[in-house]
Amino acid sequence: MKLELIKIKLKEAGMKITPQRIAVLQALMDNRQHPTADDLIKTIWKVHSNISAGTVYHILNTLVSKNVIGKIETVDNVVRYDPTTEKHHHLYLNDEHEIVDFFDDELNGIIMDYLMKNNKLNNINIEDVRIQIIGKVRKSQTGT
Amino acid sequence: MKLELIKIKLKEAGMKITPQRIAVLQALMDNRQHPTADDLIKTIWKVHSNISAGTVYHILNTLVSKNVIGKIETVDNVVRYDPTTEKHHHLYLNDEHEIVDFFDDELNGIIMDYLMKNNKLNNINIEDVRIQIIGKVRKSQTGT
DNA sequence: TTATTAAATAGGAATTATTCCTAATTAGAA
DNA sequence: TTCTAATTAGGAATAATTCCTATTTAATAA
């Protein structure tokens, strides 16, 4: 089932279907934590101990360049991967070492409208607007 | 004159004033291109060939932790530094390999209002909102 | 089904960016 | 000027990623 979806994604990207690529996409899609390449390699090796690390890096780069998956930057400067390329934003909870997805089409629209209407960037073709919200989980104030 | 400003910044951060630190801040403030550590080291070595690369990295980390300078993330996974910690956003012109500053308090307000009003993140203390605008310079269409 | 071939992979070396380590030096306080 | 904790030099170590090349393989078409 999910295997079929993965194969379709690869086909649509014009990529050959290989066990290595399936393993990488499988591992990435099963991980909601925006894993690093190293995270993925470790996950993959639990099942396919023979897949080379260099290959995983290579596959990830190809998938990003074909726009099948996304790449996100972090404060600690490790590349993390995003299983989806749908437009969305990220909430950085640095204390928890978590990056949480934040989908909000309305917000996208508000920002785009503002940028357009005010002609802030009138010689720029805007391809994407990404928001990074940096925050802390609020501790509930029961008692005291 | 700028030297005085640099000394004040260091003092305010409670840091000792050393020639190495002055050289790093000087190089960073004279560079509007969001340089990498390596860029800065090369610039510094033109004048002070005796300052160690490790020291530059160390100083940059200290300055970031004291909030004197900023650190920005890039898709190509190299840390770049920002001479100012004033709230602002970045326009990524990947084709030109440039990251351009984009100051816009009004936009900050619009986004914060939206997030607050809609209670999108009601158990999160928002510390910062950063916008990355990814775009291309539009080629002017004179002629055909 | 099999043969063909361009594309993909394995495995390890090489590269790059950054941090770590320790002895020597130095800025700022007394 | 003296003292001391902080800072720096210089190089080794580490970590993440890319590069290299021989080997293997997926997809195509006969």
Side-chain angles (χ1 to χ4, degrees), chain A residues 14-88:
Chain A
M15 295 172 66
K16 283 187 185 173
I17 293 165
T18 68
Q20 292 85 348
R21 284 173 172 171
I22 291 169
V24 169
L25 273 178
Q26 193 86 259
L28 179 55
M29 287 173 167
D30 288 350
N31 186 326
R32 293 271 101 200
Q33 307 300 305
H34 305 290
T36 64
D38 197 56
D39 293 335
L40 292 171
I41 289 166
K42 280 176 182 139
T43 303
I44 289 167
W45 278 354
K46 285 181 191 161
V47 184
H48 316 268
S49 56
N50 52 328
I51 293 182
S52 145
T55 298
V56 174
Y57 276 101
H58 186 245
I59 290 173
L60 287 167
N61 284 341
T62 308
L63 289 169
V64 169
S65 73
K66 304 266 186 186
N67 211 38
V68 179
I69 65 174
K71 196 173 179 177
I72 61 183
E73 305 97 51
T74 62
V75 268
D76 53 345
N77 204 43
V78 183
V79 179
R80 292 179 174 274
Y81 294 91
D82 204 327
T84 174
T85 52
E86 285 174 75
K87 248 191 222 327
H88 65 286

Side-chain angles (χ1 to χ4, degrees), chain B:
Chain B
M1 47 159 212
K2 186 171 285 179
L3 179 60
E4 280 317 307
L5 181 67
I6 286 172
K7 287 184 180 172
I8 290 167
K9 275 177 184 271
L10 288 172
K11 271 246 169 71
E12 282 177 349
M15 295 171 67
K16 284 187 183 172
I17 293 166
T18 68
Q20 291 85 347
R21 284 172 172 171
I22 290 169
V24 170
L25 273 178
Q26 192 86 260
L28 179 56
M29 287 172 166
D30 288 351
N31 186 326
R32 294 269 103 201
Q33 308 298 306
H34 306 290
T36 63
D38 196 56
D39 293 335
L40 292 171
I41 289 166
K42 281 177 181 139
T43 303
I44 289 167
W45 278 354
K46 286 180 190 162
V47 185
H48 316 267
S49 55
N50 53 327
I51 293 182
S52 146
T55 299
V56 174
Y57 276 100
H58 186 244
I59 289 173
L60 287 168
N61 285 341
T62 308
L63 289 170
V64 170
S65 74
K66 304 266 186 186
N67 210 38
V68 179
I69 66 173
K71 195 174 181 178
I72 61 183
E73 305 97 49
T74 63
V75 267
D76 53 344
N77 203 43
V78 184
V79 180
R80 293 179 172 274
Y81 294 92
D82 204 327
T84 175
T85 52
E86 287 173 73
K87 245 192 224 329
H88 65 286
H89 307 296
H90 289 117
L91 169 59
Y92 286 70
L93 301 174
N94 291 333
D95 286 356
E96 341 275 323
H97 296 97
E98 269 189 63
I99 302 173
V100 179
D101 285 330
F102 181 63
F103 287 81
D104 193 324
D105 288 341
E106 193 184 347
L107 182 54
N108 293 342
I110 290 170
I111 294 169
M112 286 303 257
D113 285 354
Y114 175 83
L115 293 174
M116 299 305 195
K117 198 169 55 200
N118 294 272
N119 226 8
K120 291 285 179 178
L121 300 161
N122 60 353
N123 63 331
I124 305 292
N125 278 332
I126 298 173
E127 297 180 331
D128 196 8
V129 174
R130 296 184 200 160
I131 301 170
Q132 302 177 316
I133 301 166
I134 292 93
K136 278 196 205 314
V137 176
R138 187 177 295 150
K139 306 300 171 204
S140 61
Q141 286 210 344
T142 49
T144 300

Side-chain angles (χ1 to χ4, degrees), chain A residues 91-92 94 132-136, chain B residues 125-130:
Chain A
L91 169 60
Y92 287 69
N94 292 331
Q132 302 177 315
I133 301 166
I134 292 92
K136 279 196 206 311
Chain B
N125 278 332
I126 298 173
E127 297 180 331
D128 196 8
V129 174
R130 296 184 200 160

